[in-house]
Amino acid sequence: MNRFVKNAAVLGAATVLSAGFSTSAYAAETTAFRVSYGNSVATGKLTWHNRSVSFSGNNHVASGCRLVNFTAWAPDGSITSGSSSKLCVGMEADGTRPFAGTLDFSSVVGGPSEVLVAYSVSEDGGFGWQTKDSVRCYRNSGCS
């Protein structure tokens, strides 16, 4: 085998190995969350990516109106937020609606490290929203 072919084979193997390591270095982690008030509950998961965190789940409303709010922080102090859509009794036949979204930190290497999941309640669907339950979730240690 000539030296050119031998070097190309070594370089090709190194490329395959490094590609395998780079994809596993950013493997998405997930964290489950649950917030509730009365018989209403929102459950879901956060999926942590390199420069974002996505949220998904279901909101079940037994009375009034409910909204799930998400506020995320990155180690550099950056903050971004998002929410589910408002869900009130009678809006869905079974009282449940799925939600999903992504909180983007495209300019922050490593992305967010912490998310506050807050369950907001309005008994009439108007402007009188109050946070009744919340949980703080962390990239590497779950929610508390």
Side-chain angles (χ1 to χ4, degrees), residues 22-48:
S22 66
T23 57
S24 64
Y26 298 114
E29 301 173 41
T30 59
T31 304
F33 66 83
R34 181 182 192 278
V35 286
S36 63
Y37 180 71
N39 290 325
S40 299
V41 62
T43 58
K45 69 178 181 175
L46 301 170
T47 303
W48 305 90

Side-chain angles (χ1 to χ4, degrees), residues 5 16 31 43 47 58 68 70 86 88 93 118 125:
V5 173
V16 169
T31 304
T43 58
T47 303
N58 288 297
V68 188
F70 301 86
K86 173 177 77 172
C88 300

Side-chain angles (χ1 to χ4, degrees), residues 15-128:
T15 302
V16 169
L17 288 174
S18 68
F21 286 115
S22 66
T23 57
S24 64
Y26 298 114
E29 301 173 41
T30 59
T31 304
F33 66 83
R34 181 182 192 278
V35 286
S36 63
Y37 180 71
N39 290 325
S40 299
V41 62
T43 58
K45 69 178 181 175
L46 301 170
T47 303
W48 305 90
H49 307 282
N50 182 32
R51 294 180 186 244
S52 66
V53 61
S54 56
F55 56 86
S56 62
N58 288 297
N59 187 8
H60 175 76
V61 173
S63 65
C65 301
R66 308 292 187 260
L67 181 69
V68 188
N69 295 299
F70 301 86
T71 304
W73 291 267
D76 73 347
S78 300
I79 300 172
T80 192
S81 60
S83 68
S84 68
S85 61
K86 173 177 77 172
L87 178 60
C88 300
V89 167
M91 292 174 81
E92 299 290 343
D94 65 355
T96 303
R97 180 182 291 164
F99 58 83
T102 299
L103 304 175
D104 181 42
F105 285 81
S106 57
S107 63
V108 180
V109 176
S113 57
E114 177 180 348
V115 175
L116 176 68
V117 181
Y119 206 40
S120 297
V121 174
S122 173
E123 293 308 326
D124 63 4
F127 295 103

